[in-house]
Amino acid sequence: QVQLAESGGGSVQAGGSLKLSCVVSGEIWSTCEVGWYRQAQGKERELVSSIDVGDGSTKYADSVKGRFTISQDNAKKMLYLAMNSLKIEDTAVYYCAGRKCGVPKYEYWGRGTQVTVSS
């Protein structure tokens, strides 16, 4: 099992910045990819960004490219999401998630942290 715990959410005005953090613990050796999902009210959960634990390659949703940066600190077992130029439509609950090697779907989830962007 892998445990994930997010922090760093909050309220910010449009154009502002936030940095989310996620502590990864447990059988992290079994995890090949970690990422950030978000779910806005009334919408489906979507993948915001992911990072390959091994080679550090990253992926971003088109809606956040150039504004969000995902990073990991393997020594500290931490995952981060730096969010800049925030927009009202970025308002959502953000979840830290992990995917086991050889499994196509994310299986491990944090409880989520709320990000609210206002005008």
Side-chain angles (χ1 to χ4, degrees):
Q1 291 293 322
V2 175
Q3 292 80 44
L4 305 158
E6 309 92 339
S7 62
S11 298
V12 65
Q13 287 191 321
S17 300
L18 281 174
K19 186 173 184 178
L20 305 182
S21 300
C22 175
V23 180
V24 185
S25 60
E27 298 177 349
I28 57 176
W29 53 266
S30 68
T31 303
C32 277
E33 187 175 280
V34 287
W36 292 94
Y37 276 75
R38 68 184 180 187
Q39 187 167 21
Q41 195 168 7
K43 295 188 177 181
E44 292 186 357
R45 191 175 296 189
E46 62 172 350
L47 179 63
V48 175
S49 182
S50 64
I51 187 167
D52 184 292
V53 174
D55 64 18
S57 58
T58 59
K59 297 178 184 177
Y60 294 93
D62 288 342
S63 58
V64 306
K65 280 181 182 177
R67 300 188 298 120
F68 290 12
T69 303
I70 191 171
S71 61
Q72 62 179 351
D73 185 329
N74 288 338
K76 295 182 179 179
K77 301 176 184 177
M78 295 288 295
L79 179 69
Y80 304 100
L81 185 69
M83 305 184 293
N84 298 315
S85 302
L86 282 162
K87 304 176 180 180
I88 293 175
E89 51 264 42
D90 293 320
T91 296
V93 178
Y94 284 71
Y95 298 90
C96 179
R99 181 176 66 79
K100 286 173 62 176
C101 301
V103 177
K105 291 186 177 181
Y106 277 73
E107 292 189 9
Y108 306 118
W109 296 89
R111 292 188 175 185
T113 185
Q114 176 71 45
V115 171
T116 302
V117 185
S118 59
S119 58

